[in-house]
Amino acid sequence: MSGCLDYIELPRCEGLDTVAEKRNLIASVAAGILFFAGWWIIIDAAATVPSNDDFKHAYHTCGVLSTVAFFMINAISSAQVSGDSTETGCIGQTGARIWLFSGFFLAFGALIASCWILFGPYVVQQCCDDNLWPGIAVFLQNTFIFFGGIVFKFGRTEELWE
């Protein structure tokens, strides 16, 4: 029963060969669009709710931490983390792993904090007279930046760089 699909072949799509060649371009553009959309959403929320009582300026900290995490995650190549790189850099393989872990720690921390901002002040306490948009915007900003960082890190291939 385990080999029942071994002899089934799907027809090969001819157009996918060009997509594979442009993988880095597609991943970079998709990550850039996600990053841009995240910041655009929070700018819209800050412009539509300018009052500090309805949308505290401290809530922007999550987006800043997500942006720092985006750069930290993508500053280290996969070859440095796995030890396959010919150049170890200034921090070596262990330092690269610690740097990458710190970047993911910041990214997940900012995403969790944005969930807390959405559900704490806006959903449970209803601080803004049923105006949930600032809380939703903070959550969407951090979600888009997080997934933009993931797409930029793991969607590209490093084979073309060598």
Side-chain angles (χ1 to χ4, degrees):
M1 185 65 183
S2 63
C4 64
L5 298 177
D6 287 344
Y7 299 107
I8 296 177
E9 289 187 26
L10 295 174
R12 184 158 175 87
C13 296
E14 299 298 326
L16 291 181
D17 294 335
T18 58
V19 172
E21 293 173 1
K22 298 183 185 218
R23 177 179 172 176
N24 288 355
L25 175 70
I26 293 168
S28 298
V29 168
I33 289 171
L34 287 170
F35 186 82
F36 168 77
W39 276 104
W40 187 263
I41 287 170
I42 203 68
I43 289 170
D44 176 64
T48 57
V49 185
S51 168
N52 193 29
D53 297 332
D54 295 337
F55 183 49
K56 296 189 182 349
H57 298 303
Y59 294 161
H60 292 290
T61 307
C62 293
V64 172
L65 288 177
S66 287
T67 302
V68 169
F70 179 92
F71 289 116
M72 285 179 71
I73 290 169
N74 291 295
I76 301 293
S77 69
S78 298
Q80 288 175 324
V81 173
S82 65
D84 295 337
S85 178
T86 56
E87 299 175 8
T88 58
C90 62
I91 57 177
Q93 180 183 5
T94 305
R97 289 178 178 177
I98 291 170
W99 184 265
L100 186 66
F101 176 76
S102 300
F104 277 116
F105 184 75
L106 273 178
F108 281 114
L111 192 60
I112 291 168
S114 69
C115 288
W116 177 82
I117 289 171
L118 171 61
F119 289 106
Y122 288 100
V123 174
V124 175
Q125 296 176 2
Q126 295 181 352
C127 71
C128 304
D129 301 326
D130 296 327
N131 186 8
L132 294 176
W133 174 237
I136 292 170
V138 170
F139 176 73
L140 286 177
Q141 176 202 23
N142 287 284
T143 304
F144 284 163
I145 292 174
F146 176 77
F147 283 116
I150 297 297
V151 166
F152 196 72
K153 177 69 176 173
F154 299 112
R156 299 175 303 138
T157 179
E158 296 176 2
E159 295 172 356
L160 301 175
W161 299 349
E162 297 173 359

